[in-house]
């Protein structure tokens, strides 16, 4: 009966209209957050005053590493404004999520932690995801906030600065260093890490004799952890005339020969060098060149007397040349944030000189804080964290990564070539290798707009 | 005259009634449309729109880190670049080899298992459950589990081999010659349960009298399979092949297990375009969409080919 009263065309029109309306409604910009200034202006009657909200998006692993929960709790008890801690939604990469929210006009977060500096700086800035901290740091009323910038270690500050502005507030530094299990090292009579290429080679040989079940040496991530790092260790300037990692230089050739020799003598795997970290953590490898946080992870898991982290190794230590590659886990103020000043205030308090709890936590868990006052309070004269002091001293004089979008490309293009070079089934001269790898890198970069 | 007009009006009314009846019959209860409207809207938004968006994107030089490039149409530029891109052809080669490894093995294995299960008299339900089990495991769990199996030092396979006295067992995923096979084995293990189940259903639907008649005529088991089972499973075979035609774009297997290594031995087209879109430099979504479109068209061509080759023969 109803079918005779409503024509299909009318019904479909009505259904599609309703669906389109619902879709449009769902796409409309969200209402401003409660308590936001715009909402207050539009209220006809004065609403009861609410505490200012700071919406802080935080990567889950950063929470324990930086004691974020405790910091938020303390802040909320101390200050009138209230920090609301949120975690990135699952599935979508967080930068895409933020960018989509910004484009739709329904961004709820004021800041995010963690962006990796300097690798993400261009991408996040050109996509207008972030804005500089500078104006908000100048305007902050947090006590002693003026001591923060001067306390940032210069090479770290350089990495966090893009186009003359501080775009990332540094939290802690990651760098590449040698990590080891103490048992095999002590078995060959060492009570400290080997600091030279030859020293690592000799130690690996001794370990092979003393502990034949162990793989003496490995790398956590190719080519960052061995080839790039060895170039850093052997040259003052790790970049060539095109601003690319100098894989055609003498240091690179020497590093490749060193790696090949290690494989030929059975001191490291030729295959699967990227699985090194798990192999090392499972106890299958004695030494590994890796992100130094891995050493902290191993210590926290197995005990400080079992595993240790050090610094890079060099051809002629104590000459450290360009040092070691390093990067910074940073916080960012989001573009179009409702309360960028509030987030900056919170960050200035969080990492400021008066918040000892966070400094202590970063020293203990995340490792290698970025501020000199943290070292003076928690690292200096503490033998447990001596390696952090040594590593940060190296980072302080290391050559930072440049701001570019080609870091990932160079790594991805060089990686199969490194794997090929140390494959004993493939007889290959290093000079041939570097030319092949360099051509692939250049070809891929040519496909990009910016270098 | 009045009679004529009345008759004409009656005819028109009858026509109108017939038309409404036809409408009502053809379209059914309008409330049905109301109920399917949400599904249709979701389908349009989450299936059709991305398809159209991906299609248009394939003809642009959209680079994600430069939002202004979103509508930079470059015609067939991406496809021209693809033709000259050595990395694309390397990945294409890997994907083709992977397809050749997986699809025939998957079909033969699923068919054998299906025939065997269809012949058992006891515990057939248990065997069906067992073979389908890997399919319902989350893909990430399966891939990580197999990656651990293949671990050169602590993996189940090499530990067993060493236990049996093999001094230098293979490095599996770390071996440039073996890595793609290892990933293929994992993929086959993960996915053969579904086609096997389809084949089992197909076999159960074949009239048993045909086999009895063939047996009376003296046909061997192999002849019965070749002349009865296989021809009558042709529609199921087509379905299985069509459902697997997206294998050229295989991505997650390589991403989780090898990251494309060693020496790019497992860098499939899917992983290559993923890197292009979400990992490399400018995040070239336009170029990646063009690769995706090419992969999709290849998959569609494969589907059309299977339909053509396996369509029922007219009697």
């Amino acid at each position: 009966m109803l079918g005779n009263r409503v024509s299909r065309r009318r019904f479909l029109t009505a259904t599609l209209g309703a669906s389109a309306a619902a879709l449009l409604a769902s796409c409309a910009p969200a209402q401003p957050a409660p308590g936001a200034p715009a909402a207050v202006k539009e209220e006809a009657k004065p609403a009861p005053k609410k505490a200012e909200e700071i919406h802080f998006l935080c990567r889950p692993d950063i929470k324990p590493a930086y004691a974020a929960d405790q910091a938020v709790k303390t802040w909320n008890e101390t200050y009138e404004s209230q920090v609301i801690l949120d975690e990135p939604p699952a599935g979508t990469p967080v930068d895409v999520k933020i960018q989509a929210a910004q484009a739709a006009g329904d961004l709820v977060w004021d800041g995010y932690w963690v962006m990796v500096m300097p690798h993400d700086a261009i991408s996040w800035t050109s996509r207008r995801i972030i804005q500089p901290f500078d104006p908000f740091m100048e305007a902050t009323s947090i006590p002693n906030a003026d001591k923060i910038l001067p306390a940032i270690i210069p090479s770290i500050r350089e990495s966090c600065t893009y186009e003359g502005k501080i775009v990332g507030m540094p939290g802690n530094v990651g760098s590449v260093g040698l990590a080891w299990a103490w048992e095999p090292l002590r078995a060959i009579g060492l009570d400290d890490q080997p600091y030279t290429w030859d020293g690592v080679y000799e130690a690996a040989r001794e370990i092979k004799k003393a502990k034949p079940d162990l793989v003496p040496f490995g790398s956590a991530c190719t080519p960052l952890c061995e080839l790039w790092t060895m170039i850093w260790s052997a040259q003052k300037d790790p970049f060539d005339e095109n601003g690319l990692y100098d894989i055609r230089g003498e240091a690179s050739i020497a590093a490749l020969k060193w790696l090949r020799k290690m494989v030929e003598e059975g001191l490291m795997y030729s295959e699967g060098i990227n699985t090194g970290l798990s192999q090392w953590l499972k106890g299958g490898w004695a030494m590994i060149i890796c992100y130094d946080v891995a050493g902290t992870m191993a210590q926290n898991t197995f005990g400080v007397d079992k595993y240790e982290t050090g610094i890079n190794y060099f051809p002629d230590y104590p000459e450290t040349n360009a040092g070691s590659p390093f990067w910074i886990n940073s916080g960012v103020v989001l573009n179009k944030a409702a309360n960028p000043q509030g987030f900056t205030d919170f960050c200035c308090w969080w990492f400021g000189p008066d918040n000892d709890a966070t400094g202590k936590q970063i020293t203990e868990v995340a490792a290698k804080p970025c501020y000199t006052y943290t070292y003076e309070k928690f690292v200096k004269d503490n033998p447990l964290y001596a390696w952090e002091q040594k590593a940060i001293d190296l980072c302080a004089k290391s050559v930072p990564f440049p701001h570019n979008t080609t870091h990932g490309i160079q790594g991805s293009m060089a990686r199969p070539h490194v794997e090929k070079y140390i494959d004993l089934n493939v007889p290959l001269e290093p000079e041939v290798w570097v030319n092949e790898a360099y051509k692939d890198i250049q070809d891929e970069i040519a496909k990009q707009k910016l270098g | 005259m009045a009679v004529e007009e009345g008759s004409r009006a009656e005819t028109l009314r009858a026509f109108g009634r017939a038309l409404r009846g036809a409408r009502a019959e053809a379209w059914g209860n309008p409330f049905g449309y109301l109920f399917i409207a949400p599904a249709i809207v979701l389908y349009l938004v989450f299936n059709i729109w991305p398809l159209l968006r991906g299609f248009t994107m394939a003809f642009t030089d959209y680079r994600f880190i430069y939002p202004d490039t979103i509508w930079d149409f470059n015609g067939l530029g991406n496809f021209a670049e693809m033709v000259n891109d050595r990395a694309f052809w390397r990945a294409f080669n890997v994907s083709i080899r992977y397809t050749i490894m997986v699809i025939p093995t998957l079909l033969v294995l699923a068919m054998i298992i299906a025939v065997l299960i269809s012949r058992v008299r006891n515990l057939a339900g248990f065997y069906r459950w067992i073979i389908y089990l890997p399919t319902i495991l989350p893909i990430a769990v399966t891939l990580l589990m197999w990656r651990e199996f293949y671990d050169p030092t602590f993996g189940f396979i090499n530990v067993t081999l060493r236990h049996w006295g093999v001094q230098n067992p293979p490095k599996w995923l770390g071996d440039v010659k073996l890595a793609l096979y290892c990933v293929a084995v994992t993929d086959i293990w993960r996915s053969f349960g579904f086609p096997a189940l389809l084949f089992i259903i197909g076999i159960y639907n074949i009239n048993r009298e045909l086999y009895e008649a063939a047996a009376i005529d003296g046909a061997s088991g192999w002849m019965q399979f070749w002349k009865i089972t296989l021809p009558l499973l042709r529609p199921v075979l087509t379905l299985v092949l069509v459902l697997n035609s997206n294998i050229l774009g295989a991505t997650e297997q390589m991403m989780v297990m090898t990251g494309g290594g060693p020496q790019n031995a497992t860098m499939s087209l899917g992983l290559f375009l993923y890197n292009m879109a979400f990992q490399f430099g400018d995040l070239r979504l336009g170029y990646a969409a063009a690769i995706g479109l090419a992969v999709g068209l290849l998959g569609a061509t494969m589907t059309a080919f299977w339909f053509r080759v396996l369509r029922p023969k007219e009697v």
Side-chain angles (χ1 to χ4, degrees):
Chain A
M1 212 167 88
L2 192 63
N4 291 338
R5 273 187 274 142
V6 185
S7 75
R8 66 171 188 271
R9 180 169 302 184
R10 193 173 292 173
F11 174 76
L12 284 175
T13 308
T15 308
L16 280 175
S19 304
L23 195 64
L24 282 173
S26 68
C27 294
Q31 293 297 312
V40 176
K41 278 182 194 165
E42 284 167 19
E43 295 274 348
K45 293 176 188 174
K49 194 178 176 187
K50 279 186 73 177
E52 184 188 63
E53 290 179 349
I54 301 165
H55 289 266
F56 171 24
L57 186 65
C58 186
R59 208 173 70 189
D61 58 316
I62 287 300
K63 284 187 180 180
Y66 290 4
D69 288 306
Q70 186 58 41
V72 167
K73 187 165 176 274
T74 310
W75 169 276
N76 288 347
E77 287 167 0
T78 313
Y79 291 91
E80 194 180 339
S81 60
Q82 296 293 293
V83 174
I84 296 161
L85 196 56
D86 200 1
E87 282 188 14
T92 318
V94 69
D95 53 331
V96 176
K97 194 76 187 167
I98 294 169
Q99 193 177 355
Q102 287 168 330
D106 59 4
L107 182 78
V108 293
W109 306 298
D110 298 305
Y112 172 64
W113 212 285
V114 148
M115 184 183 85
V116 179
M117 293 291 288
H119 300 313
D120 293 335
I122 291 184
S123 170
W124 288 48
T125 306
S126 64
R127 286 153 65 194
R128 297 167 204 138
I129 294 176
I130 55 175
Q131 55 181 318
F133 269 103
D134 305 58
F136 307 113
M137 289 188 84
E138 282 167 18
T140 187
S141 56
I142 297 295
N144 290 322
D146 57 326
K147 293 180 181 159
I148 294 175
L149 285 181
I152 300 176
I153 291 154
S155 61
I156 294 171
R157 187 167 167 173
E158 186 184 335
S159 288
C160 292
T161 305
Y162 180 59
E163 293 179 335
K165 303 273 172 48
I166 299 280
V167 292
M169 180 171 278
N172 78 310
V173 189
S175 60
V176 181
L178 191 73
W180 61 92
W182 267 122
E183 194 200 346
L185 246 68
R186 288 196 177 116
I188 60 167
L190 289 181
D191 56 3
D192 195 1
Q193 75 162 92
Y195 287 99
T196 62
W197 292 14
D198 289 341
V200 172
Y201 167 71
E202 287 301 331
R205 285 185 57 174
E206 294 301 316
I207 289 170
K208 188 176 167 63
K209 286 180 205 157
K211 299 273 180 186
D213 290 343
L214 281 180
V215 177
F217 179 80
S219 159
C221 176
T222 303
L224 169 69
C225 286
E226 76 293 294
L227 186 58
W228 288 178
T229 300
M230 290 177 81
I231 292 173
W232 248 260
S233 77
Q235 281 184 200
K236 298 272 184 208
D237 179 2
F239 308 106
D240 69 6
E241 68 279 9
N242 297 318
L244 303 176
Y245 300 128
D246 191 9
I247 59 171
R248 295 175 303 173
E250 284 177 18
S252 170
I253 303 280
L256 286 166
K257 286 179 177 170
W258 186 90
L259 288 168
R260 178 99 182 184
K261 183 172 70 173
M262 293 288 280
V263 174
E264 282 170 348
E265 296 187 23
L267 306 178
M268 68 180 280
Y269 275 160
S270 63
E271 306 94 345
I273 44 183
N274 289 300
T275 60
L277 187 54
S278 67
Q279 298 288 327
W280 181 68
L281 287 173
K282 286 173 183 169
W285 293 12
M287 296 183 289
I288 185 169
I289 182 78
C290 69
Y291 330 109
D292 53 11
V293 73
T296 316
M297 283 163 56
Q299 283 187 329
N300 289 337
T301 308
F302 302 107
V304 289
D305 56 334
K306 298 279 194 298
Y307 286 82
E308 181 68 88
T309 313
I311 59 170
N312 196 2
Y313 49 89
F314 305 87
D316 303 304
Y317 189 78
E319 173 58 61
T320 57
N321 294 306
S324 183
F326 68 94
W327 54 94
I328 297 102
N329 296 319
S330 318
V332 287
V333 186
L334 300 179
N335 207 5
K336 298 185 180 177
N339 191 4
Q341 185 62 59
F343 181 71
T344 309
D345 290 347
F346 172 69
C347 287
C348 287
W349 169 83
W350 195 15
F351 291 92
D354 300 330
N355 181 11
D356 287 352
T358 298
K360 189 167 183 289
Q361 178 78 3
I362 293 178
T363 305
E364 287 174 1
V365 181
K368 297 218 305 299
C370 298
Y371 304 91
T372 48
Y373 44 73
T374 315
Y375 284 88
E376 279 158 19
K377 281 182 191 170
F378 302 108
V379 179
K380 200 175 170 186
D381 302 328
N382 187 338
L384 199 59
Y385 306 126
W387 77 268
E388 289 193 40
Q389 186 68 57
K390 203 180 270 186
I392 203 70
D393 288 345
L394 182 62
C395 287
K397 52 185 180 178
S398 292
V399 175
F401 282 115
H403 289 283
N404 63 32
T405 56
T406 64
H407 167 73
I409 292 173
Q410 293 181 72
S412 297
M413 292 297 116
R415 175 186 147 176
H417 290 286
V418 177
E419 291 168 339
K420 188 175 169 184
Y421 179 74
I422 61 173
D423 182 346
L424 299 182
N425 297 316
V426 185
L428 196 61
E429 290 302 314
E431 290 78 9
V432 177
W433 178 91
V434 294
N435 287 328
E436 283 182 5
Y438 202 76
K439 183 172 181 342
D440 270 6
I441 290 169
Q442 283 190 311
D443 284 353
E444 195 55 45
I445 288 174
K447 297 177 190 169
Q448 316 297 323
K449 276 195 167 180
L450 268 187
Chain B
M1 193 72 177
V3 174
E4 272 184 21
E5 281 182 3
S7 169
R8 196 180 301 152
E10 183 56 34
T11 308
L12 281 173
R13 273 197 293 275
F15 179 71
R17 277 197 301 274
L19 198 62
R20 280 197 296 276
R23 276 181 178 175
E25 189 182 337
W27 286 83
N29 189 337
F31 272 119
Y33 296 101
L34 190 64
F35 292 134
I36 63 168
I40 296 284
V41 170
L42 290 174
Y43 182 72
L44 289 172
V45 171
F46 292 108
N47 287 59
I48 301 301
W49 168 244
L51 205 66
L52 294 174
R53 183 71 189 92
F55 185 81
T56 51
M57 203 184 282
F59 299 93
T60 67
D61 189 22
Y62 181 24
R63 293 159 192 252
F64 193 61
I65 74 166
Y66 303 109
D68 297 340
T69 60
I70 188 164
W71 296 117
D72 274 2
F73 281 98
N74 64 350
L76 297 174
N78 290 332
F79 298 93
E81 184 178 339
M82 202 187 301
V83 170
N84 297 311
D85 188 345
R86 285 186 305 142
F88 168 81
W89 287 111
R90 275 201 301 259
F92 181 78
N93 180 31
V94 169
S95 284
I96 290 289
R97 284 173 47 225
Y98 187 69
T99 303
I100 292 169
M101 282 176 201
V102 171
I103 295 292
T105 317
L106 192 73
L107 285 178
V108 171
L109 187 67
M111 183 74 81
I112 291 170
I113 298 282
V115 169
L116 290 176
I117 290 180
S118 71
R119 294 189 173 209
V120 295
R121 298 186 178 191
N122 298 317
L123 296 174
F126 173 73
Y127 292 126
R128 286 198 298 269
W129 176 70
I130 285 286
I131 59 152
Y132 198 67
L133 206 54
T135 309
I136 60 170
L137 280 175
I139 184 167
V141 172
T142 304
L143 299 176
L144 289 172
M145 182 180 79
W146 275 88
R147 198 178 71 177
E148 290 304 309
F149 281 172
Y150 287 130
D151 187 297
T153 312
F154 302 101
F156 173 76
I157 300 171
N158 277 9
V159 168
T160 308
L161 288 176
R162 277 195 214 96
H163 181 72
W164 288 343
V166 179
Q167 290 298 318
N168 290 305
K171 300 292 191 299
W172 305 115
L173 293 173
D175 187 322
V176 70
K177 288 179 185 151
L178 293 178
L180 197 61
Y181 290 101
C182 293
V183 178
V185 166
T186 305
D187 206 7
I188 290 164
W189 181 86
R190 182 184 69 83
S191 53
F192 87 94
F194 187 59
L197 204 64
L198 291 176
F199 284 134
I200 291 171
I201 294 166
I203 292 170
Y204 283 161
N205 281 328
I206 296 173
N207 191 338
R208 307 306 304 171
E209 290 175 4
L210 293 173
Y211 292 104
E212 289 163 12
I216 291 167
D217 288 344
S220 64
W222 175 248
M223 286 288 283
Q224 288 177 27
F225 173 78
W226 199 246
K227 296 291 184 185
I228 299 172
T229 309
L230 206 54
L232 291 176
L233 282 182
R234 194 187 284 254
V236 180
L237 193 61
T238 312
L239 178 66
V240 169
L241 286 167
V242 169
L243 287 176
N244 283 286
S245 60
N246 62 350
I247 194 164
L248 271 176
T251 308
E252 58 271 65
Q253 297 90 328
M254 291 75 177
M255 189 188 292
V256 174
M257 296 187 76
T258 61
Q263 300 175 41
N264 280 341
T266 59
M267 180 62 72
S268 66
L269 269 180
L271 189 56
F272 175 68
L273 85 86
Y274 172 85
N275 285 341
M276 191 58 69
F278 303 113
Q279 299 287 316
F280 286 170
D282 297 347
L283 309 180
R284 298 188 60 194
L285 290 180
Y287 186 46
I291 298 170
L293 183 60
V295 172
L297 287 175
L298 280 170
T301 310
M302 267 171 62
T303 304
F305 175 77
W306 296 129
F307 272 124
R308 174 111 188 139
V309 170
L310 294 169
R311 70 181 169 191
K313 287 176 185 163
E314 290 179 15
V315 182

